[in-house]
């Protein structure tokens, strides 16, 4: 298929693409500002809003008492109020909503709202919560073989603790929504959400009205990264609450400060592992306990915990596994989806276990990784039998194409000569499962209209958030009909055109919506071919459409695409189609924790080299070399962008992005001056990504594999590349697995004895 430039590229660079804040608002629109809890835990004794309500231009201040339906927005579990009632559970929790004719007045009102809170004990750590029996739900254990017994037969057994910190999404566009009253009490919401149906459902519940009265429209997102899968909902619901009462349009956009303070992030994890190996370095047994810092409400935590379990052995086959995850309730904002969805946290632990074992045994991590890679028909701990396994292929391909031997020799030679700088090298294989782990979510719909002039409009449940899904969908339609992409339009994502959608997430958006779209295109084409066959008096099977022209037995006929559509109109043939696709094969049984939850897996291997400044403790990455399994990529540029972007985000998470809350549960890293994200200099100067040459996978749309999340986990290699350099400098360094590996931690490692 012909590759295509992202259809949004032109609009983006010219500043013409529309985001929530670019919508031309109606004259009588009001502005909303959220008043949130200054304390992480306590009982609200008194809330004084009357003075603030008297400020000029302030129209109204809403509290939970104004909610006509249920004060409940929990997606998985009903444990999250839209507005706090008597108790607050995290600093940043919405308590009241200020509505004013100007943003300035709303801010003034917020500054004089008084609140008295009787403070309760605050928990900020996952294990701390577990010790106090504070959980979101029951723990879950996935096991294979008998790990307890198998440890007795191991030549080597090692244990350690692991910590990975959270991560701020930092989507360029902060959370927001614009809500308009329509006729007859209907409400239209333009939202920056990955999950329009989620928003529609929550608002219907909060307002106590049917979903049919709520229309959610999504133009595009200025990034989501998981942060808008569930957490775009409260802001849309709050604005809708105001519109419901005031019958006026309301705009609510969080300032960056408010967004950082009020929204959840990637889950920090505190974990323990125990790994057992044979003499020849086969991993015989692996045990891990994951303590997920879920925050103050469930949000998506249980689903994220599940994916951690499903990725706990990464790209390796381990015969005896026992992994348990605890979703721990703390007084932080509810943590949420973030690219990888718990997978990265799981994968870091097994890589840490391998690094520890390698260090103690006196071999390189590579030697352990290599002999344990997944092979065809291996079983993962949760029962999925692996087929079309590319683990060894991507590994070998990386070794060969990037000459790993040469690279590691260069590192060794450099380290012999240099004392103030040391280099390190690490390999990071990945194996990431594609599909929502929750089987019922794996379906999608598409609505295609062929207009009577031959141009086409497409609606699906897919949300464009920068990942390029609209371009891929456009390619699919252009390819199916063989018409010029300029004659196709991707409509906004709208709940009235395509209903009951799963969020755009799990890297599955193009697969699910693309497959539904393919079905719709095929259905229309089948009808059109009938029309053409009748018109040209030939057999249907002889008809094809090529470049907007009808061909018979590969010979150009007299009938153009446009003429064909007109003939079809006259013959009263339906030119629209609504199709549905549900992923076949997948299933999972939680009662026995076994099944086949993933349609397929995405594989890859990264080689990362680092240079550590052993005087200062800072570091750079010299190169990242990746062989990635795209299947048969349909959009090479977009897919490369996804790999590079995810890699940068992964490196940021592992090395510099440090979320800090104080003991009172107050966010300290509350601005970009205190929360460092990677820039162009933080990722390697030399990034090379080569495709694994494969036939692709039938379960992927047009065999083009999902690419959104998997490459983030290449970033895990950055941690170990730095650690490897520290080891070269300091023979007394005791390996620590505490991410991010900030320069401060590097310095302490360099001079530890
Ligand atoms: N790329 C950009 N530019 N912006 C984003 O918000 N989100 C990521 C990934 N790539 C994201 C992105 C996440 S978390 C997911 S799940 C997928 O894109 C979602 O889109 P897909 O299903 O089309 O891959
Ligand atoms: N991935 C991403 N988002 C999700 C999932 C998943 O597996 N399940 C529910 N939401
Ligand atoms: Mo992505 S974390 O599944 O939105």
């Amino acid at each position: 298929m012909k590759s295509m430039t992202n259809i949004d590229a032109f609009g983006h660079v010219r500043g013409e693409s529309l985001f929530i804040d670019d919508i031309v608002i109606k004259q009588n629109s009001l502005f909303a500002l959220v008043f949130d809890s200054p304390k992480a835990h306590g009982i609200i004794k008194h809330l004084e809003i009357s003075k603030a309500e008297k400020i000029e231009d302030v129209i109204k201040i809403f509290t939970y008492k104004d909610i006509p339906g249920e004060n409940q927005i929990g997606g998985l579990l009903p444990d999250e109020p839209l507005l706090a009632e008597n108790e607050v559970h995290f600093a940043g929790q919405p308590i009241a909503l200020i509505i004013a004719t100007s943003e300035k007045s709303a801010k003034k009102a917020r500054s004089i709202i008084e609140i008295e809170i009787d403070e309760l004990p605050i928990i900020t750590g996952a294990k701390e919560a577990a010790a106090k029996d504070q959980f979101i739900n029951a723990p879950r254990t996935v096991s294979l073989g008998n790990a307890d017994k198998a440890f007795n037969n191991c030549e080597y057994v090692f244990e350690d603790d692991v910590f990975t910190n959270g991560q701020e999404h930092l989507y360029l566009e902060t959370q927001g929504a614009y809500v308009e009253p329509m006729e007859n009490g209907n409400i239209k919401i333009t939202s920056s959400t990955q999950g329009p149906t989620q928003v529609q459902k929550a608002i219907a519940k909060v307002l106590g009205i049917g979903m049919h009265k709520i229309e959610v429209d999504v133009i595009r997102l200025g990034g989501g990264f998981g942060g808008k899968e569930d957490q775009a909902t409260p802001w849309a619901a709050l604005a809708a609450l105001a519109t419901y009462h005031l019958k006026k349009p309301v705009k609510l956009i969080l300032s960056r400060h408010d967004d950082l303070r009020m929204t959840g992030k990637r889950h920090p994890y505190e974990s323990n592992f125990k790994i057992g190996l044979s003499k020849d370095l086969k991993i015989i047994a692996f045990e891990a306990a994951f303590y997920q810092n879920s925050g103050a409400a469930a949000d998506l935590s249980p689903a994220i915990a599940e994916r951690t379990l499903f990725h706990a052995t990464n790209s390796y086959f381990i015969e005896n596994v026992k992994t348990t995850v605890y979703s721990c309730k703390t007084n932080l904002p509810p943590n949420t989806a973030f690219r990888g969805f718990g997978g990265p946290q799981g994968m870091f632990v097994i890589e840490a276990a391998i690094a520890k074992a390698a260090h103690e045994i006196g071999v390189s991590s590579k030697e352990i990784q290599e002999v344990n890679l997944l092979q065809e028909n291996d079983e993962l701990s949760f029962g999925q039998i692996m087929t079309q396994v590319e683990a060894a292929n991507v590994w070998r391909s990386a070794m060969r194409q990037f000459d790993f031997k040469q690279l590691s020799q260069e590192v060794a030679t450099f380290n012999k000569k240099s004392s103030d700088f040391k280099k390190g090298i690490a390999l990071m294989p990945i194996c990431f499962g594609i599909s929502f782990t929750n089987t019922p979510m794996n379906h999608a719909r598409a609505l295609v209209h062929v207009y009577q002039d031959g141009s086409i409009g497409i609606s699906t449940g897919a949300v464009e958030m920068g990942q390029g899904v609209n371009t891929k969908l456009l390619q699919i339609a252009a390819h199916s009909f063989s018409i010029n992409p300029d004659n196709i339009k991707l409509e906004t994502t709208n709940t009235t055109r395509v209903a009951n959608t799963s969020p755009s997430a799990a890297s599955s958006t193009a697969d699910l919506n693309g497959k539904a779209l393919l079905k719709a295109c095929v259905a229309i084409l089948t009808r059109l071919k009938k029309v053409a066959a009748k018109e040209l008096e030939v057999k249907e099977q002889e008809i094809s459409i090529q470049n907007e022209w009808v061909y018979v037995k590969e010979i150009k006929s007299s009938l153009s695409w446009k003429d064909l559509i007109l003939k079809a109109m006259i013959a009263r043939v339906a030119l629209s189609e609504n199709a549905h696709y549900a992923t076949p094969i997948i299933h999972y049984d939680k009662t026995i924790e076994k099944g086949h939850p993933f349609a397929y897996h995405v594989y890859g291997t990264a080689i990362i080299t680092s240079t550590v400044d052993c005087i200062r403790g800072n570091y750079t990455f010299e190169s990242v070399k990746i062989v990635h399994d795209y299947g048969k990529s349909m959009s090479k540029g977009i897919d490369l962008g996804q790999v590079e972007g995810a890699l940068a985000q992964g490196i940021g998470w592992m090395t510099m992005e440090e979320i800090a809350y104080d003991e009172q549960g107050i966010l300290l890293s509350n601005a970009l001056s205190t929360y460092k994200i990677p820039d162009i200099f933080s990722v390697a100067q030399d990034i090379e990504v080569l495709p694994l040459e494969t036939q692709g996978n039938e379960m992927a749309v047009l065999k083009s594999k999902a690419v959104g999340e998997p490459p983030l986990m290449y970033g895990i290699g950055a941690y170990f590349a730095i650690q490897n350099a520290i080891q070269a400098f300091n023979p007394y360094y005791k390996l620590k697995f505490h991410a991010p590996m900030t320069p401060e931690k590097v310095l302490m490692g360099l001079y530890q004895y």
Side-chain angles (χ1 to χ4, degrees):
M1 180 188 291
K2 241 171 79 185
S3 226
M4 223 180 120
T5 310
N6 191 318
I7 54 172
D8 272 347
F10 196 73
H12 281 3
V13 295
R14 289 166 64 100
E16 290 170 358
S17 302
L18 297 180
F19 300 88
I20 300 287
D21 211 15
D22 300 311
I23 298 168
V24 179
I25 59 171
K26 289 182 178 160
Q27 232 169 22
N28 57 351
S29 292
L30 302 171
F31 298 92
L33 191 69
V34 180
F35 173 78
D36 59 303
S37 177
K39 300 287 180 194
H41 195 193
I43 305 290
I44 301 176
K45 277 286 162 212
H46 183 67
L47 179 69
E48 180 56 61
I49 55 172
S50 56
K51 268 185 256 165
E53 222 168 15
K54 287 194 189 95
I55 285 184
E56 204 188 333
D57 296 339
V58 172
I59 305 290
K60 173 86 187 151
I61 298 179
F62 294 107
T63 67
Y64 74 93
K65 291 176 189 153
D66 300 299
I67 293 173
E70 263 182 80
N71 183 17
Q72 186 48 249
I73 55 163
L76 289 183
L77 300 175
D79 67 349
E80 194 178 354
L82 176 61
L83 289 169
E85 298 192 4
N86 303 318
E87 197 171 335
V88 286
H89 296 273
F90 63 94
Q93 183 173 356
I95 294 174
L97 185 72
I98 304 151
I99 306 294
T101 52
S102 75
E103 288 175 274
K104 212 172 146 192
S105 312
K107 274 189 193 151
K108 205 164 149 196
R110 181 163 81 172
S111 70
I112 64 160
I113 290 181
E114 287 164 20
I115 188 160
E116 236 178 84
I117 293 174
D118 266 1
E119 292 183 48
L120 291 168
I122 292 161
I123 300 174
T124 58
K127 282 190 179 170
E128 184 193 348
K132 292 179 178 158
D133 228 15
Q134 292 294 309
F135 298 106
I136 294 287
N137 60 350
R140 283 176 67 181
T141 299
V142 163
S143 48
L144 179 72
N146 187 338
D148 289 341
K149 224 169 106 191
F151 279 115
N152 299 325
N153 308 325
C154 292
E155 175 81 13
Y156 310 105
V157 177
F158 308 103
E159 293 178 66
D160 215 333
D161 304 331
V162 178
F163 175 77
T164 50
N165 205 333
Q167 186 175 23
E168 169 54 45
H169 300 88
L170 224 89
Y171 23 67
L172 278 180
E173 180 194 35
T174 55
Q175 303 274 7
Y178 179 59
V179 181
E180 299 160 83
M182 310 305 272
E183 291 180 327
N184 305 322
N186 299 323
I187 291 178
K188 181 180 174 184
I189 296 110
T190 309
S191 167
S192 179
T193 179
Q194 292 173 239
T197 294
Q198 213 40 49
V199 170
Q200 181 192 21
K201 196 167 136 188
I203 293 177
K205 192 177 197 178
V206 165
L207 299 183
I209 59 181
M211 283 171 77
H212 65 302
K213 295 183 87 65
I214 311 280
E215 172 185 353
V216 179
D217 192 74
V218 183
I219 307 169
R220 64 163 63 69
L221 274 51
F225 306 111
K228 295 171 182 172
E229 182 175 337
D230 233 33
Q231 299 209 353
T233 302
W235 326 109
L238 285 169
L241 175 69
T243 293
Y244 175 88
H245 286 294
L246 303 171
K247 313 272 183 288
K248 294 232 170 97
V250 174
K251 179 166 165 172
L252 196 171
I253 294 183
L254 296 187
S255 70
R256 181 64 69 187
H257 262 297
D258 285 0
D259 190 309
L260 291 171
R261 189 176 67 253
M262 296 178 193
T263 66
K265 305 163 197 325
R266 184 191 291 286
H267 295 76
Y269 272 53
E270 293 167 56
S271 311
N272 315 316
F273 67 77
K274 185 171 170 186
I275 188 170
L277 301 92
S278 68
K279 215 168 179 175
D280 53 1
L281 304 180
K282 279 266 183 198
I283 306 172
I284 305 294
F286 179 65
E287 205 177 280
F290 302 101
Y291 294 83
Q292 176 197 61
N293 190 331
S294 311
D299 193 272
L300 291 162
S301 296
I304 291 160
E306 176 170 76
R307 193 174 273 276
T308 300
L309 295 176
F310 293 173
H311 289 81
T313 59
N314 188 14
S315 202
Y316 311 108
F317 171 65
I318 305 176
E319 234 179 295
N320 301 285
V321 180
K322 186 175 168 196
T323 50
T324 303
V325 66
Y326 302 87
S327 291
C328 307
K329 194 168 173 173
T330 62
N331 298 107
L332 301 184
N335 285 313
T336 193
F338 196 134
R339 210 171 194 169
F341 206 74
Q345 291 95 323
M347 281 157 70
F348 184 75
V349 174
I350 180 71
E351 293 302 327
I354 289 171
K356 169 98 179 182
H359 181 72
E360 298 290 334
I361 299 169
V363 296
S364 70
S365 290
K366 170 186 168 278
E367 288 170 70
I368 299 178
Q369 291 169 316
E370 199 159 53
V371 296
N372 289 286
L373 289 171
L374 277 166
Q375 290 173 15
E376 202 67 12
N377 297 319
D378 278 345
E379 182 179 352
L380 290 183
S381 58
F382 50 93
Q384 180 148 352
I385 309 291
M386 301 294 276
T387 55
Q388 289 187 268
V389 175
E390 306 285 5
N393 290 343
V394 285
W395 178 275
R396 272 190 238 115
S397 174
M399 289 292 169
R400 196 181 56 244
Q401 298 198 73
F402 300 126
D403 202 344
F404 179 80
K405 235 184 176 167
Q406 173 76 21
L407 279 172
S408 41
Q409 247 158 36
E410 278 168 21
V411 168
T413 312
F414 178 92
N415 286 346
K416 243 184 223 149
K417 285 196 208 136
S418 168
S419 52
D420 291 351
F421 289 85
K422 293 288 181 191
K423 286 191 183 197
I425 188 164
L427 276 148
M428 183 63 201
I430 62 155
C431 169
F432 194 79
I434 301 303
S435 291
F436 288 94
T437 54
N438 182 26
T439 301
M441 292 176 78
N442 294 284
H443 62 142
R445 276 158 297 281
L447 174 65
V448 177
H449 297 314
V450 178
Y451 297 106
Q452 51 192 287
D453 68 351
S455 63
I456 289 172
I458 295 168
S459 293
T460 72
V463 168
E464 176 61 53
M465 55 187 117
Q467 88 279 39
V469 69
N470 277 357
T471 305
K472 289 184 178 177
L473 292 171
L474 197 130
Q475 281 182 288
I476 290 167
H479 172 79
S480 300
F481 289 117
S482 192
I483 78 165
N484 187 336
D486 291 342
N487 295 327
I488 305 175
K489 181 185 172 205
L490 254 297
E491 301 292 350
T492 59
T493 316
N494 188 298
T495 52
T496 68
R497 283 192 297 274
V498 179
N500 305 322
T501 59
S502 290
S504 287
S507 303
S508 302
T509 317
D511 275 356
L512 296 173
N513 294 275
K515 290 231 178 196
L517 175 60
L518 268 177
K519 272 173 105 172
C521 294
V522 167
I524 295 175
L525 261 180
T526 307
R527 294 199 287 269
L528 289 176
K529 282 183 182 171
K530 250 189 202 135
V531 174
K534 199 166 172 202
E535 189 66 27
L536 299 169
E537 296 178 343
V538 296
K539 286 193 195 120
E540 263 171 70
Q541 306 86 279
E542 295 168 353
I543 301 280
S544 64
I545 292 162
Q546 300 176 25
N547 299 318
E548 303 197 3
W549 212 273
V550 178
Y551 281 65
V552 180
K553 289 190 186 165
E554 302 299 315
I555 296 163
K556 199 169 180 174
S557 75
S558 57
L559 197 61
S560 71
W561 165 260
K562 278 192 170 199
D563 292 338
L564 172 62
I565 301 304
L566 275 180
K567 301 274 183 218
M569 265 299 281
I570 290 161
R572 297 187 294 174
V573 168
L575 291 177
S576 294
E577 184 73 19
N578 185 352
H580 176 255
Y581 171 78
T583 312
I585 300 169
I586 54 172
H587 57 89
Y588 195 73
D589 184 347
K590 277 191 194 176
T591 61
I592 52 167
E593 298 288 10
K594 293 286 172 198
H596 188 106
F598 298 118
Y600 60 89
H601 283 75
V602 170
Y603 299 86
T605 297
I607 306 170
I608 302 191
T609 54
S610 70
T611 308
V612 169
D613 178 334
C614 300
I615 308 273
R616 296 173 183 83
N618 50 17
Y619 44 77
T620 53
F621 298 102
E622 250 194 293
S623 68
V624 181
K625 296 180 183 288
I626 295 168
V627 170
H628 185 81
D629 163 30
Y630 296 103
K632 277 177 73 141
S633 172
M634 75 167 101
S635 298
K636 294 205 166 70
I638 287 170
D639 286 353
L640 178 61
Q642 285 294 295
V643 173
E644 291 178 346
L647 170 70
Q649 221 163 19
I651 290 179
W653 173 54
M654 279 284 109
T655 66
M656 63 174 66
E657 297 185 37
E658 194 164 33
I659 292 196
Y661 288 93
D662 69 12
E663 283 164 8
Q664 298 305 307
I666 304 296
L667 182 67
L668 298 174
S669 51
N670 65 352
L672 285 175
S673 52
T674 46
Y675 186 76
K676 181 98 180 76
I677 59 157
D679 58 21
I680 191 76
F681 302 106
S682 323
V683 285
Q685 304 137 19
D686 174 18
I687 300 178
E688 208 176 334
V689 186
L690 298 177
L692 177 75
E693 300 297 339
T694 66
Q695 288 312 303
N697 190 302
E698 284 298 340
M699 299 289 277
V701 64
L702 299 176
K703 299 188 179 180
S704 180
K705 281 189 169 183
V707 69
E709 293 167 287
L712 182 132
M713 285 146 272
Y714 293 135
I716 292 173
Y719 186 96
F720 295 99
I722 296 174
Q723 192 165 67
N724 188 237
I726 301 173
Q727 286 173 293
F729 181 82
N730 181 5
Y732 303 106
Y733 172 60
K734 218 175 136 283
L735 267 62
K736 268 213 180 77
F737 308 105
H738 198 284
M741 182 72 100
T742 55
E744 291 87 336
K745 285 186 201 154
V746 173
L747 202 62
M748 288 196 284
L750 288 167
Y751 296 99
Q752 179 187 53
Y753 54 88

